[in-house]
Amino acid sequence: MKTLEMPSFGADMVRGRVVEWRVAPGDRVCKGDTVALIETAKGVIDMEVFEDVTIEQLLVSLDEECDVGTPIIAVSGGRSDNTGEEADEQQDQPMVPPALIPASASASETIVVPRLAPSTVKISPAARLLAWQQQRDTSGLDGSGPDGAIVLSDLHRQRPVSSESERAPLLVNQARAGGFDPVAMRGAIAAVVSRSNRDIPHYYLSLEVDLEKCQAWVNAYNADADPEHRMLVNAPLMCAIAQALQRHKEFNGFYQQGEFVASEAVHLGVAIALRGHGLVTPTIHHAQTLPPAQMMQRLKSLVERAKYGGLKVSEFQDATATLSSIGDRGADQIFGVIFPPQVAMIGIGKVSLKPVVETSDGGSPRIAIRSRVNISLGADHRVSDGYSGTRLLNDINKRLQKPEAL
Amino acid sequence: MKTRTEITDIILTAIADVAPDADTDELDQEEDFRDELDLDSMDFLNIVIRVVKATGVQIPDADANKVLTLNSMTDYLMERL
């Protein structure tokens, strides 16, 4: 019998409880279906399954608090429903989404970073995840699983090596009306930004770019569109940023164990403010492949679900770079704090009309009123330099001048 | 035919839906409600979506600047209902 286990949505989350079952024994569920709503100290998140399975038994009671990794649903079927050694091995593997198993933790001189997947240590995915989340070193630990593999119970016996304050969440959680604790969310944000400012030598650049063409393109797109299908200028902006990030690899990926590993895909974290109650940063996966209309629908869906609930576990991990838009009623520009282990934070200020000196072909310079926006970059100086940062920003600008090609 | 109060209620309901924490009691009906209630462009779009659904009146994107206050949006809808 396989089990689904209490998932985690951040390194600071060690416990959760089921507040609502969406399934009953005997139900057949498909990949992506929500099986339960999980409440943490900071919010309620939909727990989805990652393959087609049949629900056999609910293993915990509603509102019963349990540790991350605790089996909560017994299931059958799915890709590993077979016999023999492979099945035994699978028993120990929770169906956590691949996105939740990080390539590695951020490098930090003061935190003992667990070595993930070292060739000599066997460790179950659940134990690997917990070890990473709790910044625990598994070397030297005796495993009680098959072939001496380290399993969850081994970790539960071992005392965590790092203190609570040293555990830093990758991302903070989402909120649902009535289901989150602003104090805990503030604490999670505090932990991640403190770690970022302590460990990452940031440098900052900003470029004012012209949005006239983009705005005109969006206006033309919206002219005949009903409100549900209208676009905000943020959509092409995000497309340009995602596409430029893919090309400028030193800004897209993870800095881990003293080494930067670029990501081929751009998984764009998007900071969404919860109207004075903190922020969440869900991820738009493969953002570089999305045209503006699709980007808009994804963004709209994320904002909607950040406010009213329905964000999924898989949407909380994996971001390779993050975008923070201070909003069109906000400030001129924002210089953000990088989410470790990412290496870049892109900021979008408010769009405003500005006088700009134009030099047209051969004519004398004249002043024109143009729609402009500041795009900023906060980047990790261990990985890139200001020169490459300027190239990224100018590439974004260049793409914005051809919105029809995005 | 809806009364002015009914239309204003539809708009306020849409605002409350999109920004539950916004205090519409103190809302100045002549001021841009994006400023008054700290709404961003996504919030505003979502309000327009709800108002269009509830009234059946189309608000083309080009007319967005004609519906930025509670009074002007109410006027706009009254004229078209």
Side-chain angles (χ1 to χ4, degrees), chain A residues 184-403:
Chain A
M185 178 177 277
R186 203 65 250 160
I189 296 170
V192 78
V193 295
S194 301
R195 172 175 162 201
S196 176
N197 267 352
R198 186 190 62 203
D199 292 348
I200 303 177
H202 289 63
Y203 70 90
Y204 300 101
L205 299 170
S206 166
L207 183 70
E208 185 181 299
V209 307
D210 198 286
L211 273 190
E212 282 292 322
K213 284 182 181 155
C214 225
Q215 193 68 64
W217 184 82
V218 168
N219 290 346
Y221 181 92
N222 286 344
D224 298 319
D226 60 72
E228 300 216 30
H229 295 97
R230 273 176 210 161
M231 195 183 288
L232 298 173
V233 77
N234 268 31
L237 257 168
M238 287 166 68
C239 294
I241 288 166
Q243 289 168 21
L245 278 170
Q246 193 189 33
R247 184 150 171 249
H248 300 264
K249 299 200 177 303
E250 61 270 59
F251 302 98
N252 185 54
F254 299 124
Y255 186 86
Q256 46 200 19
Q257 298 177 36
E259 192 184 357
F260 174 67
V261 178
S263 167
E264 197 48 50
V266 179
H267 303 311
L268 197 59
V270 184
I272 297 172
L274 296 171
R275 292 188 60 83
H277 299 300
L279 83 163
V280 294
T281 52
T283 306
I284 295 178
H285 292 102
H286 301 282
Q288 85 283 1
T289 63
L290 301 176
Q294 272 187 45
M295 186 70 90
M296 181 65 197
Q297 292 311 318
R298 297 282 286 275
L299 178 66
K300 217 163 120 187
S301 165
L302 283 186
V303 170
E304 193 94 347
R305 289 181 295 125
K307 283 183 180 171
Y308 304 113
L311 287 175
K312 290 171 182 285
V313 172
S314 55
E315 289 175 312
F316 272 90
Q317 297 287 343
D318 245 12
T320 54
T322 297
L323 171 70
S324 182
S325 170
I326 201 66
D328 43 7
R329 322 201 66 70
D332 290 338
Q333 53 187 328
I334 173 171
F335 295 105
V337 177
I338 298 168
F339 277 97
Q342 296 165 34
V343 297
M345 164 68 89
I346 312 277
I348 304 176
K350 74 171 172 188
V351 180
S352 51
L353 291 174
K354 289 197 176 158
V356 176
V357 177
E358 281 184 341
T359 45
S360 53
D361 317 322
S364 51
R366 64 183 194 98
I367 292 175
I369 298 169
R370 312 275 297 182
S371 182
R372 311 276 285 188
V373 69
N374 274 299
I375 298 181
S376 70
L377 168 71
D380 188 333
H381 220 327
R382 296 171 299 185
V383 178
S384 65
D385 301 313
Y387 174 71
S388 37
T390 61
R391 290 181 59 201
L392 171 71
L393 290 178
N394 281 289
D395 189 11
I396 295 169
N397 182 27
K398 201 170 138 195
R399 289 167 196 270
L400 287 171
Q401 304 317 313
K402 285 185 184 166

Side-chain angles (χ1 to χ4, degrees), chain A residues 14 16 21 40 46 57 89 114 121 136 141 155 180 202 216 244 258 269 276 280 284 286 289 307 312 334 373 380:
Chain A
V14 290
W21 293 113
T40 74
D46 293 12
Q57 199 185 345
E89 196 183 317
V121 179
R136 288 162 69 169
L141 197 65
L155 284 175
F180 84 103
H202 289 63
V280 294
I284 295 178
H286 301 282
T289 63
K307 283 183 180 171
K312 290 171 182 285
I334 173 171
V373 69
D380 188 333

Side-chain angles (χ1 to χ4, degrees), chain A residues 218-219 222-223 225-232 234 274-277 296 299-300 303-304 307-308 327-329, chain B residues 17-22 32 34-35 37-43 45-46 48-50 52-53 58-61:
Chain A
V218 168
N219 290 346
N222 286 344
D226 60 72
E228 300 216 30
H229 295 97
R230 273 176 210 161
M231 195 183 288
L232 298 173
N234 268 31
L274 296 171
R275 292 188 60 83
H277 299 300
M296 181 65 197
L299 178 66
K300 217 163 120 187
V303 170
E304 193 94 347
K307 283 183 180 171
Y308 304 113
D328 43 7
R329 322 201 66 70
Chain B
D17 217 17
V18 171
D21 59 321
D32 187 331
R34 297 175 303 172
D35 287 329
L37 303 173
D38 191 26
L39 305 174
D40 62 20
S41 48
M42 183 74 86
D43 295 329
L45 179 59
N46 281 323
V48 170
I49 289 171
R50 282 164 170 80
V52 167
K53 256 191 194 155
Q58 288 307 314
I59 307 177
D61 197 42

